[in-house]
Amino acid sequence: TQKLPNDDSQYAWLNSEQKSKILLRLFPGKYLVGQGGNGNFAMSSGWGEIEQFGVWSVGSYVTLSLPCSAQHFYFDRDFINLSLLVRPYGNQTITIRQKKHIVYHGEISSESELDLSMSTNGCRDTALDLDIHVSEPRSPLELGQSGDGRKLGIALLSYTLN
């Protein structure tokens, strides 16, 4: 540990073994999204603020990103199963891609569980990204429901990894 001059902060350098022990480790199971949720780390880009129940997509594109390293149960697998529990804002057509491969395309009009199969590609990349396109995000303001001007598409409530 080292203390820097004129600074109350302290910094510690970790060796590889120490670092690997504190890294996030994912296991099969359900991950909740929202305030107090254990799955918020996967929200990459395009998501709104974390709310009590989950998180809304804001705009047409969002990304969900899972870490990929030897720390995770899926490291040596070819595929993992991922189930997303989503709620649309109105009827929404969504397309989910992993790189250029479409893993889901369809319309959702109520709370739905979307079952996906994702390639781990041997975890050659440091993250497994899912890019989600929402066809018609709408704001509560433009629909006369409230003063909220955010263009909402889908709310992510939880996801399950197997």
Side-chain angles (χ1 to χ4, degrees), residues 147-162:
D148 186 348
R150 296 175 300 162
K151 297 271 190 177
L152 305 177
I154 58 169
L156 180 61
L157 310 176
S158 69
Y159 55 91
T160 303
L161 298 169
N162 291 309

Side-chain angles (χ1 to χ4, degrees), residues 26 66-80 98-99 118-129:
L26 297 182
L66 298 173
C68 203
S69 70
Q71 303 297 322
H72 309 294
F73 76 94
Y74 45 82
F75 178 73
D76 57 356
R77 292 186 179 181
D78 292 329
F79 292 90
I80 60 169
Q98 184 183 16
K99 296 195 178 187
M118 291 179 61
S119 169
T120 64
N121 199 21
C123 277
R124 280 176 258 184
D125 298 325
T126 57
L128 300 174
D129 291 337

Side-chain angles (χ1 to χ4, degrees), residues 47 55-57 86-88 92 94 108 132 134 152-156:
W47 299 97
V55 62
W56 283 105
S57 66
V86 298
R87 179 185 310 143
Q92 294 291 346
I94 63 171
I108 53 174
I132 304 170
V134 180
L152 305 177
I154 58 169
L156 180 61

Side-chain angles (χ1 to χ4, degrees), residues 44-150:
S44 185
S45 63
W47 299 97
E49 290 185 33
I50 302 292
E51 298 185 39
Q52 185 67 33
F53 66 89
V55 62
W56 283 105
S57 66
V58 178
S60 296
Y61 295 95
V62 292
T63 301
L64 190 68
S65 186
L66 298 173
C68 203
S69 70
Q71 303 297 322
H72 309 294
F73 76 94
Y74 45 82
F75 178 73
D76 57 356
R77 292 186 179 181
D78 292 329
F79 292 90
I80 60 169
N81 295 317
L82 173 68
S83 180
L84 305 176
L85 182 59
V86 298
R87 179 185 310 143
Y89 189 69
N91 291 341
Q92 294 291 346
T93 300
I94 63 171
T95 303
I96 303 175
R97 295 178 190 271
Q98 184 183 16
K99 296 195 178 187
K100 295 187 181 202
H101 179 70
I102 294 176
V103 294
Y104 178 86
H105 177 79
E107 184 175 313
I108 53 174
S109 57
S110 62
E111 193 168 294
S112 303
E113 198 153 340
L114 310 177
D115 294 320
L116 316 172
S117 180
M118 291 179 61
S119 169
T120 64
N121 199 21
C123 277
R124 280 176 258 184
D125 298 325
T126 57
L128 300 174
D129 291 337
L130 285 179
D131 297 312
I132 304 170
H133 175 255
V134 180
S135 64
E136 294 185 50
R138 301 172 191 95
S139 75
L141 178 64
E142 68 189 32
L143 296 176
Q145 296 173 338
S146 76
D148 186 348
R150 296 175 300 162

